[in-house]
Each structure stands twice: as structure tokens, then as C-alpha cells.
Amino acid sequence: MWVYESKNSAIFLSLHDCECSKLRINKNTVILCMDWMEVMPEHPNNPYSVAHQSGEGQVEFIGCRNVNIRVEGQDIDIDSNSVDMIFQSYEVLDFEITQLEDYFCAKIYMVQNGPFKDISISLIYDSDVTRLNEFGDESWFVDFYQNM
């Protein structure tokens, strides 16, 4: 189903203003299903020298621990949820990944309009898998600062 798949490459994505069609969370895995992603030139699957948009894509965080989720200001205890939690149609405003020794930390903040809802997620994880389809146009921010 996917054209490209790479491991531990989510650090080379920019998801700001990208649409998350589905967010799936369970105790050990968090999956972001994206309508598109901004793929930085350092990403191992990006054949271009500048960032490009992908088509539909997915980021799967594997071996998650210390998962903290706040939905509309309320903490969610995922350890007490025996079934997957699924959220749909959110816009990503902040997506930050840091690599530390042999693990990663992620912070994600998303909003939904009408009525406004927000989700804040922070987690520590062992690895990630990025899956995406064909590349499209250059990312909107490639020439942004040159035109100012």
C-alpha cells in the first residue's frame, strides 16, 4: 500500500499545519494517519534537495512508554483503557522529536475546529516507522523567507 517506508526517520518530518485524519493510541503504539506530510531533504526517502509534500502517509511510534495525553485539558490514563483510543480530523500545530541515546521523545499538539478541541501528547518510544506515498510539490516553506 505504501511506496516508501523508513525506520527512525520521523525526526525529518514537519507536520505543522498538516491534517491528521486519524490518531490511534494504545499502550505501546501511537499511529498518526496523515493526509499529507512535509518531508525534509534529510529524510532518507526524499530524493530532492529541498523539502517536499508527500501524499497520504503514516507515522507509527513503537515501544511507547511514559505516554501522556491531554484531551481538552483533561489527562487521559491510557493504562486503564483496554481498547484503542481513536481520534479523527485534527490539525497538527506542533510536532517535535528529540533523539536521546537509544530512545526518542515526541511532543505533539493538535487542534480540531467546530467546536474547538485540542490534544497534547508526549511520549518516549523505542523506534518509529514512516510510511508515505509519492512526493508532490515543494513544501510551502521552501522559498518562504526568500520572498520576505
Side-chain angles (χ1 to χ4, degrees):
M1 175 175 175
W2 302 105
V3 176
Y4 301 100
E5 183 173 297
S6 57
K7 187 174 180 182
N8 297 333
S9 59
I11 199 166
F12 302 119
L13 298 174
S14 173
L15 300 185
H16 178 72
D17 286 344
C18 294
E19 297 292 326
C20 179
S21 57
K22 186 188 297 184
L23 166 66
R24 184 175 175 186
I25 302 168
N26 69 29
K27 290 183 183 181
N28 301 315
T29 306
V30 173
I31 301 173
L32 300 172
C33 299
M34 305 299 298
D35 288 347
W36 79 91
M37 299 185 283
E38 306 290 351
V39 184
M40 305 305 288
E42 300 85 3
H43 192 282
N45 296 128
N46 185 349
Y48 304 101
S49 61
V50 297
H52 271 68
Q53 288 185 351
S54 72
E56 188 177 15
Q58 185 181 85
V59 181
E60 180 176 359
F61 301 100
I62 301 165
C64 296
R65 54 196 182 280
N66 296 345
V67 179
N68 298 301
I69 303 169
R70 291 182 63 84
V71 178
E72 297 183 55
Q74 300 293 318
D75 291 327
I76 303 295
D77 180 10
I78 66 163
D79 291 329
S80 65
N81 288 297
S82 59
V83 296
D84 290 347
M85 290 184 288
I86 297 177
F87 301 92
Q88 295 182 321
S89 300
Y90 279 79
E91 178 182 348
V92 178
L93 294 184
D94 191 28
F95 180 77
E96 180 182 328
I97 295 183
T98 306
Q99 184 172 2
L100 302 166
E101 297 179 17
D102 61 344
Y103 63 94
F104 298 85
C105 298
K107 293 181 182 178
I108 306 162
Y109 181 70
M110 302 186 296
V111 296
Q112 183 180 61
N113 292 321
F116 177 80
K117 297 178 184 176
D118 68 330
I119 295 177
S120 177
I121 304 167
S122 64
L123 57 101
I124 294 173
Y125 65 95
D126 294 326
S127 64
D128 60 67
V129 177
T130 300
R131 299 175 183 96
L132 50 101
N133 287 323
E134 298 293 337
F135 287 89
D137 295 333
E138 287 184 0
S139 296
W140 64 270
F141 51 80
V142 168
D143 293 322
F144 183 74
Y145 295 105
Q146 293 177 358
N147 297 327
M148 292 182 82

